[in-house]
């Protein structure tokens, strides 16, 4: 591994679930730099989740290569690879029979950290995601609100100090207020810890607000990749500019409705 | 305390401990088989369907039939394995264990598969995401989450197994079912109730203890789990205690499932005891089970009837007369099976057709031929074996009945049925005290379709040359007149002044003058 290697690199990656008749992911090549926050946007069936799951080897590509910090992913053991990465999903998936502390300690426990190391790290992480350690350590997942659960999910993902965090619609199930506060505090965490984050979302506004670059996927292909500004400025043969402009159009309509009401 | 209740209590340690040992072994074996099978079925959907179908199929076989089926299968296996120096008993513990194990599989298997499948997909995805291996996901996530459902399955299996274990008596395994089978045959309702109550108490206790563990697992309370486990361990340990007492070499005495056989088994045991030999009774065995068991040296002695051997084992249908039947039977038993016929006891217990005296007289029926003529308007009752036996075929061939209806009864209820008029004629036993007690008449077999039924003492091939054993039993030969046998059986069967089987056997020994001898 060299310092100049990107955190994640896709080289002509293809993946099919029907023995090659159609490709869920078709010839994707991209590089994600160390410390970068990339959002993948696309409708359902666009191949974004398949792309994400190939990074931590929950799926393996049929063709092409994926490099993690310069090393070919298929040469690493899937379990070791996953223990080195954070993984956050929409449904959180906290282990319902384990306490919050035990949930957060999942990966460190698998890595054989000592009891003291784990205890200290759990307290630190709860602080980091904005939950009071004394109050939450011994609680069970069932007693938490949706927002609290996803905070614990994030704490669990970064517990073993991974360099890379993968997120699949992490905030999709939250109410707008919780969502706003959690997206902001995650971006802060990303910067403070120097993480590389790949996040799937269908929410263009969220992607623009959180990510450094956006990757737009459609029918298994990478339609466009770039900063929000770059993508919005593109000549719009494929609808990408239109997609990026959507939040602005919506904001304008909101404005109109508000002034209509004022006059009506 | 009532005598019968006292007798029931006295047998409890033996019956209960064997019942617990059998149920616990079957449940343990069931767990060892079903848990890995369920995990396999959970992982590979191709395995799931055949495994579940097979387990459900087993459940549809009536329990008594499943138990009975294992006996001939094991007997054949045992014979096949003998040349290789492997010997095991096809009677008693082994067939019961296998049948009960099969029964315990379905609830554990089904609940484990359901429990594992009900783990939330997000939880499984997260477990993969944090870097757990398949094995770690199974042991740290799936099994703990499925534990309450699996425990519920184990509870169901435990209650089933403890209940069905009472049916292992007819294949020679002592259990709480001995109370029920003996009680049913000898009309000892105290025994029947005692057997039911003790089996139910055991099942409920175990169910509650397992429930405690189940609750403890679900609520993560170690205290409950520990109390439950200690309770179960105490029950199992207590059941092992009687087995720890060293036993002297003992002789196994077989008995079929009717009163005369119970009394004779006790008489034989007492004879052995008088000669400082230990006899253990295995009562309530099926007619052909007991014969095969003797031939295979599973039991050492029992009383059978010449006509039964003649028609059922030798498959003969000719009627050469009493002496010839006896002689040819002796030769056949010795040559075919190495069984020693020690001699006849001195009485006959023939299958005979019997009717209530007033009923027979009003219809003018004296012989079986008379009965055949009147049969279109009559109903016949038989015990469970009768209509499947060659004697019935012989009777039908000789007389050509056309009964309006036929019904099958456990023998106790068969006598009740004829006395009540529910049936007109029954397949009685000629030495049965209940013939006289119910004022029945035995119809004359005027075409001699039924062979003679001398009660004969049969000794297993392995004991044929055991001088002490054979010597102890020889005084029984030609010693028992039919009237004495009938009285002894009736003491047990009658409703008033009812006696225990043990008392009837003592009465019998006294009447035939064996009490004083030593």
């Amino acid at each position: 591994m060299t310092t100049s290697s990107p955190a994640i690199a896709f080289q002509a990656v293809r993946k099919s679930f029907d023995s090659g008749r159609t490709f869920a992911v078709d010839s994707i090549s991209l590089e994600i730099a160390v410390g970068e926050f990339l959002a993948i946007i696309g409708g359902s069936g666009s191949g974004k989740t398949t792309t994400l799951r190939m990074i931590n080897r929950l799926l393996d590509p049929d063709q092409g290569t994926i490099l993690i910090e310069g090393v070919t992913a298929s040469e690493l053991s899937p379990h070791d690879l996953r223990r080195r990465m954070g993984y956050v999903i929409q449904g959180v998936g906290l282990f319902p029979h384990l306490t919050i502390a035990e949930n957060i300690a999942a990966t460190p426990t698998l890595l054989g950290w000592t009891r003291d190391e784990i205890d200290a790290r759990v307290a630190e992480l709860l602080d980091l995601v904005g939950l009071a350690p004394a109050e939450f350590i011994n609680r069970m997942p069932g007693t938490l609100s949706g927002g609290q659960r996803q905070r614990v999910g994030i704490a669990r993902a970064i517990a073993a100090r991974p360099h890379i965090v993968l997120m699949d619609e992490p905030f999709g199930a939250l109410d707008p207020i919780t969502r706003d506060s959690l997206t902001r505090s995650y971006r802060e965490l990303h910067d403070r810890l120097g993480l590389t984050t790949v996040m799937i979302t269908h929410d263009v506004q969220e992607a623009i607000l959180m990510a450094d670059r956006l990757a737009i996927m459609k029918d298994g292909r990478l339609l466009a990749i770039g900063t929000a500004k770059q993508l919005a400025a593109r000549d719009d043969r494929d609808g990408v500019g239109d997609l990026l402009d959507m939040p602005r159009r919506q904001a304008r309509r909101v404005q109109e409705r508000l002034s209509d009401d004022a006059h009506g | 305390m009532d005598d019968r209740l006292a007798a029931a209590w006295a047998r409890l340690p033996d019956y209960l401990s064997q019942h617990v040992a059998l149920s616990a072994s079957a449940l343990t074996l069931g767990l060892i088989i079903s848990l890995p099978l369920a995990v396999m079925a959970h992982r590979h959907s191709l395995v799931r369907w055949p495994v579940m179908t097979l387990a459900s199929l087993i459940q549809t076989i009536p329990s008594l039939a499943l138990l009975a089926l294992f006996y001939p299968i094991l007997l054949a296996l045992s014979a096949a394995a003998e040349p290789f120096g492997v010997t095991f008993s096809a009677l008693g513990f082994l067939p019961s264990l296998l049948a009960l194990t099969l029964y315990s599989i379905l609830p554990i298997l089904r609940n484990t598969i359901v429990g594992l499948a009900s783990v939330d997909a997000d939880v499984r995805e997260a477990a993969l995401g944090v870097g757990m291996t398949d094995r770690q996901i199974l042991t740290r996530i799936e099994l703990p989450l499925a534990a309450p459902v699996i425990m519920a399955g184990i509870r169901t299996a435990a209650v089933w197994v403890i209940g069905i274990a009472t049916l292992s008596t007819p294949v020679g395994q002592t259990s709480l079912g001995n109370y029920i089978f003996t009680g049913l045959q000898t009309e000892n309702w105290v025994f029947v109730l005692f057997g039911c109550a003790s089996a139910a108490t055991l099942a409920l206790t175990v169910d509650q203890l397992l429930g405690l563990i189940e609750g403890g697992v679900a609520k993560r309370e170690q205290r409950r789990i520990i109390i439950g486990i200690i309770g179960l361990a105490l029950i199992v340990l207590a059941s092992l205690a009687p087995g720890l007492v060293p036993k002297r070499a003992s002789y196994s005495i077989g008995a079929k499932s009717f009163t005369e056989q119970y009394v004779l088994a006790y008489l034989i045991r007492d004879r052995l005891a008088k000669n400082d030999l230990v006899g253990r009774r295995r009562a309530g065995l099926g007619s052909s089970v007991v014969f095969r068991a003797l031939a295979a040296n599973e039991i050492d002695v029992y009383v059978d009837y010449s006509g039964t051997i003649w028609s059922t084992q030798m498959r003969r249908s000719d009627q050469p007369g009493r002496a010839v039947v006896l002689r040819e039977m002796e030769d056949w038993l010795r040559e075919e099976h190495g069984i020693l016929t020690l001699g006849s006891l001195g009485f006959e217990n023939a299958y005979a057709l019997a009717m209530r005296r007033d009923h027979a007289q009003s219809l003018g029926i004296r012989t079986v031929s008379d009965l055949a003529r009147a049969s279109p308007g009559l109903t016949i009752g038989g015990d469970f074996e009768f209509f499947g036996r060659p004697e019935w075929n012989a009777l039908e061939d000789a007389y050509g009945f056309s009964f309006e209806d036929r019904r099958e009864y456990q023998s106790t209820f068969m006598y009740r049925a004829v006395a009540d008029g529910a049936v007109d004629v029954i397949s009685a036993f000629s030495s049965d005290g209940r013939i006289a007690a119910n004022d029945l008449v035995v119809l004359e077999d005027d075409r001699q379709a039924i062979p003679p039924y001398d009660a004969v003492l049969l000794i297993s091939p392995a004991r044929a040359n055991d001088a002490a054993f054979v010597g102890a039993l020889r005084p029984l030969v030609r010693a028992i007149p039919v009237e004495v046998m009938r009285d002894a059986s009736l003491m047990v069967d009658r409703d008033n002044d009812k006696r225990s089987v043990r008392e009837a056997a003592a009465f019998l020994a006294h009447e035939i003058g064996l009490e004083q001898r030593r």
Side-chain angles (χ1 to χ4, degrees), chain B residues 368-399:
Chain B
V368 180
S369 294
D370 298 338
L371 176 71
R373 272 192 298 280
S375 62
L378 301 177
T379 300
I380 184 167
D383 61 38
F384 293 131
E385 285 186 11
F386 184 66
F387 296 115
R389 288 180 65 109
E391 290 90 339
W392 171 244
N393 296 334
L395 279 168
E396 278 199 304
D397 288 348
Y399 296 99

Side-chain angles (χ1 to χ4, degrees), chain A residues 154-251:
Chain A
I154 291 167
R156 180 174 66 183
I158 60 175
R161 300 193 179 91
H163 299 161
I164 298 171
V165 175
L166 310 176
M167 304 175 108
D168 190 347
E169 302 263 12
F171 311 115
L174 303 176
D175 67 85
I177 296 170
T178 311
R179 186 171 184 156
D180 186 52
S181 111
L182 208 52
T183 50
R184 267 196 271 185
S185 50
Y186 181 74
R187 176 70 218 211
E188 232 177 82
L189 217 53
H190 167 92
D191 292 335
R192 180 142 42 119
L193 302 176
L195 299 169
T196 303
T197 301
V198 183
M199 178 180 80
I200 290 176
T201 180
H202 53 239
D203 183 333
V204 181
Q205 184 171 325
E206 183 176 278
I208 294 172
L209 288 174
M210 286 184 82
D212 300 319
R213 283 198 300 162
L214 283 64
I216 319 289
M217 287 190 71
K218 193 183 179 191
D219 298 334
R221 291 180 171 273
L222 187 59
L223 218 54
I225 183 164
T227 63
K229 210 167 170 178
Q230 287 167 349
L231 294 177
R234 276 167 48 121
D235 86 82
D236 197 22
R237 283 184 311 255
D238 45 20
V240 170
D242 192 47
L243 186 70
L244 268 289
D245 195 42
M246 192 166 66
R248 194 158 38 193
R249 288 198 310 273
Q250 282 178 338

Side-chain angles (χ1 to χ4, degrees), chain A residues 10 13-28 40 42-54 59-63 216-223:
Chain A
F10 278 64
V13 172
R14 299 181 91 191
K15 174 72 184 176
S16 172
F17 292 108
D18 52 12
S19 321
R21 273 187 290 141
T22 59
F23 283 88
V25 166
D26 199 354
S27 307
I28 290 209
I40 303 178
S44 46
S46 62
K48 54 192 195 310
T49 295
T50 305
T51 303
L52 191 79
R53 283 165 59 93
M54 284 193 287
L59 291 172
D60 282 323
D62 297 331
Q63 292 168 33
I216 319 289
M217 287 190 71
K218 193 183 179 191
D219 298 334
R221 291 180 171 273
L222 187 59
L223 218 54

